[in-house]
Amino acid sequence: MKKILIITYYWPPSGGPGVQRWLKFSKYLPEFGYDPIIITVDPEKAEYPIKDHTLEQDVRAGQIVYRTDCSGIYEYYKKLTKAQSAPYSGFVNEGSPSLKQKIARFIRGNFFLPDARRGWNKHAYHQAIQIIQEEKIDAVITTGPPMSTHLVGQKLKKRFHLHWIADFRDPWTDIYYYNKMYPTPIAKAIDRQYERNVLLDADQVITVSDYIKKQLAAKSPAIQASKIKVIANGFDAEDFDLTIPKEDVFTITYTGTLAADYTIDSFIHSVKRLSTSRKLKLRFVGKVDQGIAQKLSEQLGDFVEIHSFVAHTNAIKYMKSSSVLLLIIPNIEGSKGNLTGKLFEYIGSRTPILCLGPTDGDAAAIIQVCKAGKTFEYDDEEGMFQFLTSLLNNFDPQSPIKEDNVVNRYSRKSLTQSLTQILARHEA
């Protein structure tokens, strides 16, 4: 078994989508001849937006995990802003930022580069040195966000000349909420230099979509696009191998974060039209912006359910018990290349998907290929209404879930095999 060292800030009991990718890779890597060793942060010292202890059940028996100390700054952030937790992606748990939150964001975006979790780096680095000196490590993998984790891999590469793979689960300086941290031109220049150096120094780079690959390759003419590979996010078939009956009422479910800048008005209008003659339920599971929650309540009233964060296992049950799943691609620059991890879990649930987003985008193409649903432009109220009407007219809570082998290419096991093919190339 070849040993690979995986350095990741997010690991159970951390919750949310960020933890899933390498938790699942690590679960299946031994089946392909690789023994992963994990370095992560001690959960008592970590700053996770959310926790999900049920994910600890997914850690493979015998998995070696080193948990290190951490020197963080979010304790000061929370004191300044009175926040109960670290910010969610896109600061969705903050709503319209107060003056204190704006100051905190400015400090984060200009004085803690590349990010506020860089305080973990020295602890992860020293732990990695110890492991490398004691074990025969075949490759080192760093995954971000937090992007500062890649700086650990960069130092290890220079010291030990090991094969280093940098995994980008999100863009770095192109992330949609980057400017919400009010970076100055100097801060942006420093951040972009970090980004370029990581891309140049890494032996291989992995990311989750072709769109992000193009963004990364464009950071410098010296970056070889051929060393950037795409491995999409996916779903673990074992997570969905359970029988969950459909709700008796036609139920539309959205899971995850719903931020203020998500375009949802036309969808609300289409549901409102639908609800005038038929009984239905619109269910949101996760963090919903206060303004959107108020709008939903005012326009749809009793049809709407909003649940706070639930464990991943319960989120899957909601997906499978629904009649249709709502997916919203943020209406921002780069939306065509947005491939949220939620898309693949929706596909894995075999529940029809109604996607709001670019009809010529990457998500729309995957939904079409997998015959998993349909994508509509943000203002296509009539199209959404007709789609939902068709599903409602054929609604049968007892109907069996259709299986389609096309979706298996996005199973975590299949994607892990793709990862091992990348690892094997450097060994050849």
Side-chain angles (χ1 to χ4, degrees), residues 74-86 93-94 98 100-101 104:
Y74 276 122
E75 57 185 286
Y76 306 109
Y77 173 89
K78 287 191 287 187
K79 287 178 182 177
L80 176 63
T81 62
K82 307 299 183 185
Q84 298 299 310
S85 66
N93 58 327
E94 293 187 351
S98 66
K100 286 185 178 180
Q101 287 169 335

Side-chain angles (χ1 to χ4, degrees), residues 89-90 170-171 174-178 180 211 215 259-263 328-339 356-358 378:
S89 175
D170 285 320
D174 295 308
I175 193 75
Y176 73 95
Y177 55 82
Y178 187 77
K180 289 185 178 181
Y211 187 88
Q215 285 182 321
D261 50 5
Y262 280 36
T263 305
I328 305 175
I329 306 298
N331 190 8
I332 54 174
E333 184 179 353
S335 60
K336 290 184 180 181
N338 189 308
L339 283 179
L356 289 181
Y378 301 100

Side-chain angles (χ1 to χ4, degrees), residues 62-81:
Q63 174 66 67
I64 298 174
V65 180
Y66 291 88
R67 299 183 183 273
T68 76
D69 199 357
C70 182
S71 306
I73 68 154
Y74 276 122
E75 57 185 286
Y76 306 109
Y77 173 89
K78 287 191 287 187
K79 287 178 182 177
L80 176 63
T81 62

Side-chain angles (χ1 to χ4, degrees), residues 167-202:
D167 173 56
F168 286 71
R169 303 190 314 274
D170 285 320
W172 187 329
T173 56
D174 295 308
I175 193 75
Y176 73 95
Y177 55 82
Y178 187 77
N179 288 326
K180 289 185 178 181
M181 295 178 287
Y182 315 115
T184 62
I186 294 174
K188 286 183 178 180
I190 293 171
D191 234 0
R192 287 169 181 159
Q193 188 63 49
Y194 278 134
E195 183 180 33
R196 279 194 298 270
N197 289 344
V198 164
L199 292 166
L200 288 167
D201 292 347

Side-chain angles (χ1 to χ4, degrees), residues 143 196 277 340 408:
T143 179
R196 279 194 298 270
S277 59
T340 170
N408 289 333

Side-chain angles (χ1 to χ4, degrees), residues 54-328:
T54 67
L55 292 177
E56 294 171 330
Q57 301 167 13
D58 244 349
V59 179
R60 178 178 53 87
Q63 174 66 67
I64 298 174
V65 180
Y66 291 88
R67 299 183 183 273
T68 76
D69 199 357
C70 182
S71 306
I73 68 154
Y74 276 122
E75 57 185 286
Y76 306 109
Y77 173 89
K78 287 191 287 187
K79 287 178 182 177
L80 176 63
T81 62
K82 307 299 183 185
Q84 298 299 310
S85 66
Y88 281 61
S89 175
F91 301 96
V92 69
N93 58 327
E94 293 187 351
S96 298
S98 66
L99 178 60
K100 286 185 178 180
Q101 287 169 335
K102 288 181 179 180
I103 293 171
R105 290 187 191 184
F106 179 84
I107 292 170
R108 151 66 185 90
N110 291 278
F111 296 98
F112 294 93
L113 301 174
D115 55 63
R117 290 181 174 86
R118 186 170 179 170
W120 179 55
N121 281 23
K122 62 181 180 181
H123 304 283
Y125 178 68
H126 290 309
Q127 182 65 76
I129 290 173
Q130 180 182 334
I131 295 170
I132 291 168
Q133 290 174 339
E134 295 175 356
E135 304 277 0
K136 187 178 184 303
I137 299 298
D138 186 69
V140 173
I141 300 174
T142 55
T143 179
M147 297 306 182
S148 56
T149 305
H150 294 314
L151 305 185
V152 180
Q154 192 175 37
K155 287 182 69 175
L156 293 171
K157 167 73 177 177
K158 292 177 178 178
R159 177 163 179 170
F160 294 102
H161 306 289
L162 283 167
H163 190 81
W164 168 41
I165 299 173
D167 173 56
F168 286 71
R169 303 190 314 274
D170 285 320
W172 187 329
T173 56
D174 295 308
I175 193 75
Y176 73 95
Y177 55 82
Y178 187 77
N179 288 326
K180 289 185 178 181
M181 295 178 287
Y182 315 115
T184 62
I186 294 174
K188 286 183 178 180
I190 293 171
D191 234 0
R192 287 169 181 159
Q193 188 63 49
Y194 278 134
E195 183 180 33
R196 279 194 298 270
N197 289 344
V198 164
L199 292 166
L200 288 167
D201 292 347
D203 295 290
Q204 290 174 296
V205 175
I206 304 172
T207 191
V208 297
S209 73
D210 288 317
Y211 187 88
I212 298 177
K213 174 181 175 175
K214 291 175 183 176
Q215 285 182 321
L216 297 176
K219 296 301 175 181
S220 168
I223 297 170
Q224 298 175 354
S226 60
K227 79 174 183 179
I228 306 176
K229 306 297 181 184
V230 175
I231 302 180
N233 286 309
F235 68 94
D236 190 344
E238 291 186 0
D239 290 346
F240 292 87
D241 188 20
L242 70 169
T243 302
I244 302 293
K246 294 290 185 184
E247 299 268 0
D248 291 333
V249 176
F250 187 82
T251 303
I252 306 168
T253 296
Y254 178 93
T255 67
T257 298
L258 189 60
D261 50 5
Y262 280 36
T263 305
I264 194 173
D265 286 354
S266 292
F267 170 77
I268 291 175
H269 295 154
S270 67
V271 173
K272 190 173 183 179
R273 289 170 60 187
L274 200 68
S275 66
T276 57
S277 59
R278 303 290 288 273
K279 188 176 181 182
L280 56 86
K281 182 194 300 181
L282 180 56
R283 179 168 58 196
F284 293 85
V285 183
K287 186 66 181 178
V288 178
D289 171 75
Q290 291 180 353
I292 291 181
Q294 183 176 350
K295 185 184 299 183
L296 289 166
S297 177
E298 290 172 352
Q299 299 201 34
L300 297 173
D302 295 338
F303 292 108
V304 178
E305 289 182 4
I306 298 180
H307 304 265
S308 58
F309 171 79
V310 299
H312 183 244
T313 50
N314 290 332
I316 289 173
K317 291 176 182 177
Y318 279 128
M319 292 179 205
K320 289 186 68 95
S321 68
S322 299
S323 312
V324 59
L325 296 174
L326 173 63
L327 179 70
I328 305 175

